[in-house]
C-alpha cells in the first residue's frame, strides 16, 4: 500500500507533528501523529526524523509546513509578503536537504502593524483550492493564537493574530485568578454572559478583574467562573470584527474551541461555516503539484 505514495506531507507544529503519505492525486494513504514537534527536536535531529518518515511511508519527497521552518525549527524558511498565493508559497519553498522542502510563512511587513503566520496559510489556501471556501473570504482559525485571515481572489491579503488562547491559559494558571478558573469551559449561560460582556468591554484587563470580584461578591458562581472568563476573552476577540454581518466566517479546525468561536460569531450577528477537515493536506498537495 505504501508504495503508492508519491510524497510525504508534514504539518510540523510546535508540539505536535502530523505526517501523511500522499498519492499523486492528493489522497491520504496513511497518517502518523505524534509529539515530535519542533520543541522536542534540535536541528541535528531532523535528518533522522526524515529517514524514519521515509521508512514508514515508502516515499522520498517530503514537503513540510509549519514551525519546522521557523527560527525554532530545522532551518528558517523566510516569510513571504502578503498578498500571497499558493503559487507564491511554492516558488519560495526552501530546499533543506535532498528532496526535502519547507513551505514558508506569510508576513505583513508594511502598513500600520506587523504580523506573521506560519502554517495557517497552507490551510486557508488549501480550503480555497478544494472549493471548501470561496477565493474571497474571511477565515477564523481558533487556537492558542487565533487568526483572522482575509483573502481576495485566492490570495492572503491581510490577517490578525490574537493571543486569546494563550492569555486565557496564563490567567488560568498564574496570577490573581489562578484557582478561580478550574471549572469546566463549555457553552451555556455563563459563557454567553461572558461573551456579551467581552464584546462591550473597552478595557479587557479591568473586565478580567470583574471575574474575581464577581466570585467574591456572590455575583458569579465559582463553578461558572472559567466559562465566563473564557466567554469574556473570546467575546472581546470576536467583538473587534466589525464585518461579521457582511459575509460568512469560514471556521478552520474542530473541537471545543472552534465550537465556542462558532457560538461567539453567531451571538455577534455573524454566520460561521465550518471548513471540512483536509485543508492542510490539500494546500500542501497543491504546492507539491506546482513543484512536481
Amino acid at each position: 500500500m505504501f508504495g503508492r505514495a508519491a510524497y510525504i506531507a508534514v504539518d510540523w507544529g510546535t508540539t505536535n507533528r502530523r505526517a501523511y503519505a500522499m498519492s499523486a492525486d492528493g489522497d491520504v494513504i496513511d497518517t502518523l501523529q505524534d509529539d515530535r514537534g519542533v520543541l522536542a527536536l534540535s536541528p541535528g535531529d531532523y535528518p533522522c526524523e526524515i529517514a524514519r518518515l521515509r521508512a514508514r511511508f515508502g516515499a522520498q519527497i517530503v514537503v513540510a509546513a509549519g514551525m519546522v521552518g521557523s527560527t525554532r525549527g530545522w532551518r528558517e524558511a523566510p516569510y513571504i509578503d502578503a498578498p500571497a498565493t499558493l503559487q507564491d508559497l511554492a516558488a519560495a519553498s526552501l530546499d533543506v536537504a535532498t528532496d526535502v522542502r519547507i513551505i514558508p510563512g506569510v508576513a505583513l511587513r508594511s502598513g500600520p502593524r506587523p504580523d506573521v503566520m506560519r502554517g495557517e496559510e497552507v490551510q486557508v489556501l488549501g480550503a480555497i483550492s478544494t472549493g471548501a471556501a470561496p477565493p474571497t473570504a474571511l477565515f477564523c482559525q481558533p487556537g492558542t493564537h487565533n487568526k483572522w485571515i482575509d483573502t481576495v481572489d485566492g490570495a492572503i491579503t491581510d490577517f490578525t493574530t490574537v493571543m486569546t488562547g494563550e492569555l486565557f491559559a496564563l490567567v488560568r494558571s498564574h496570577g490573581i485568578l489562578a484557582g478561580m478558573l478550574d471549572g469546566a469551559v463549555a457553552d451555556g449561560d455563563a459563557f454567553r454572559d461572558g461573551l456579551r460582556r467581552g464584546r462591550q468591554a473597552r478595557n479587557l484587563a479591568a473586565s478580567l478583574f470583574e471575574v474575581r470580584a464577581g466570585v467574591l461578591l456572590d455575583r458569579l458562581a465559582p463553578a461558572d467562573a472559567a466559562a465566563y472568563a473564557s466567554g469574556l476573552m473570546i467575546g472581546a476577540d470576536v467583538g473587534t470584527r466589525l464585518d461579521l454581518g457582511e459575509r460568512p466566517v469560514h471556521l478552520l479546525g474542530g473541537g471545543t474551541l472552534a465550537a465556542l468561536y462558532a457560538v461567539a460569531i453567531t451571538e455577534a450577528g455573524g454566520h460561521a461555516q465550518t471548513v471540512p477537515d483536509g485543508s492542510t493536506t490539500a494546500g500542501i498537495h497543491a504546492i507539491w503539484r506546482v513543484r512536481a
Side-chain angles (χ1 to χ4, degrees), residues 26-274:
D27 296 322
V28 176
I29 299 170
D30 192 15
T31 63
L32 168 69
Q33 180 174 341
D34 57 28
D35 60 358
R36 301 295 284 169
V38 300
L39 293 183
L41 303 172
S42 65
D45 294 329
Y46 286 93
C48 183
E49 294 295 327
I50 294 297
R52 288 173 178 165
L53 291 176
R54 286 170 169 162
R56 163 72 184 264
F57 293 132
Q60 180 70 13
I61 298 172
V62 177
V63 184
M67 293 299 289
V68 66
S70 71
T71 55
R72 293 185 172 187
W74 188 358
R75 277 181 57 191
E76 185 177 7
Y79 295 105
I80 64 172
D81 292 338
T85 65
L86 277 171
Q87 291 74 22
D88 296 328
L89 293 172
S93 294
L94 178 69
D95 294 315
V96 294
T98 302
D99 289 331
V100 181
R101 54 182 177 265
I102 297 175
I103 300 167
V106 179
L108 300 179
R109 298 181 196 271
S110 59
R113 56 183 181 80
D115 208 337
V116 293
M117 69 165 67
R118 195 178 288 278
E120 296 90 353
E121 69 289 332
V122 173
Q123 191 173 11
V124 166
L125 297 177
I128 293 173
S129 74
T130 63
T136 300
L138 171 63
F139 293 84
C140 176
Q141 189 188 53
T144 302
H145 298 156
N146 180 43
K147 298 279 188 182
W148 297 96
I149 305 167
D150 289 280
T151 64
V152 176
D153 295 333
I156 294 172
T157 56
D158 194 18
F159 56 94
T160 301
T161 305
V162 190
M163 294 174 60
T164 309
E166 182 172 353
L167 289 174
F168 180 71
L170 288 171
V171 299
R172 197 175 200 181
S173 57
H174 300 283
I176 200 168
L177 296 183
M180 283 189 165
L181 304 182
D182 295 333
V185 175
D187 184 25
D189 291 342
F191 177 76
R192 297 196 182 205
D193 286 345
L195 286 179
R196 287 187 283 272
R197 181 69 182 109
R199 290 200 309 271
Q200 300 166 359
R202 299 178 63 87
N203 186 333
L204 180 59
S207 298
L208 279 171
F209 190 82
E210 293 170 8
V211 177
R212 175 173 172 79
V215 171
L216 294 177
L217 299 176
D218 296 325
R219 293 182 56 174
L220 177 63
D224 291 337
Y228 179 87
S230 175
L232 180 71
M233 299 183 77
I234 292 175
D237 181 0
V238 171
T240 64
R241 300 298 308 196
L242 303 180
D243 54 352
L244 294 182
E246 300 173 6
R247 50 183 171 163
V249 179
H250 297 272
L251 202 59
L252 296 164
T256 301
L257 186 58
L260 293 176
Y261 265 86
V263 171
I265 290 166
T266 301
E267 286 281 301
H271 175 62
Q273 294 183 352
T274 300

Side-chain angles (χ1 to χ4, degrees), residues 5-32:
Y7 69 99
I8 302 167
V10 188
D11 178 10
W12 219 316
T14 302
T15 57
N16 297 306
R17 175 180 65 177
R18 297 173 180 85
Y20 308 85
M22 302 292 296
S23 76
D25 294 327
D27 296 322
V28 176
I29 299 170
D30 192 15
T31 63
L32 168 69

